[in-house]
Amino acid sequence: MPTLTAATAAQAAPQAAPSVHRRALITWLAVYPTITAAFLLLGPSTAHLPLALRTLVMTAIVVPAAVYVLVPALLKADHKATAALNSARAGAE
């Protein structure tokens, strides 16, 4: 039976979900730049629209981009960074 080192055990164990605070930060990191880019790109062409309609257009673009593309990519990057950090810590022990 193979023995597990601390590093392989950390890799084999299921990763716990990030804390609510880390998820909030990741979501903000996805949403803020996306909203800024959307306003820069679409702001002039939607300036004539009423505020509610302008907000509808922006959120129709930003929310799917953040939910389906950006947040999952950032969560994956966070998982890899956390795993690498935990592996480095386990190797230092």
Side-chain angles (χ1 to χ4, degrees), residues 13 22 26-28 39 43-45 51-52 55 61 69 71 78 81 87-88:
R22 186 172 232 156
I26 288 169
T27 302
W28 182 83
F39 273 114
S45 61
L51 179 61
T55 304
I61 294 166
V69 178
V71 170
D78 176 67
S87 179

Side-chain angles (χ1 to χ4, degrees), residues 48-76:
H48 67 282
L49 298 173
L51 179 61
L53 191 54
R54 226 178 337 163
T55 304
L56 178 67
V57 169
M58 293 297 180
T59 57
I61 294 166
V62 170
V63 171
V67 169
Y68 295 115
V69 178
L70 300 172
V71 170
L74 289 171
L75 284 171
K76 185 176 181 179

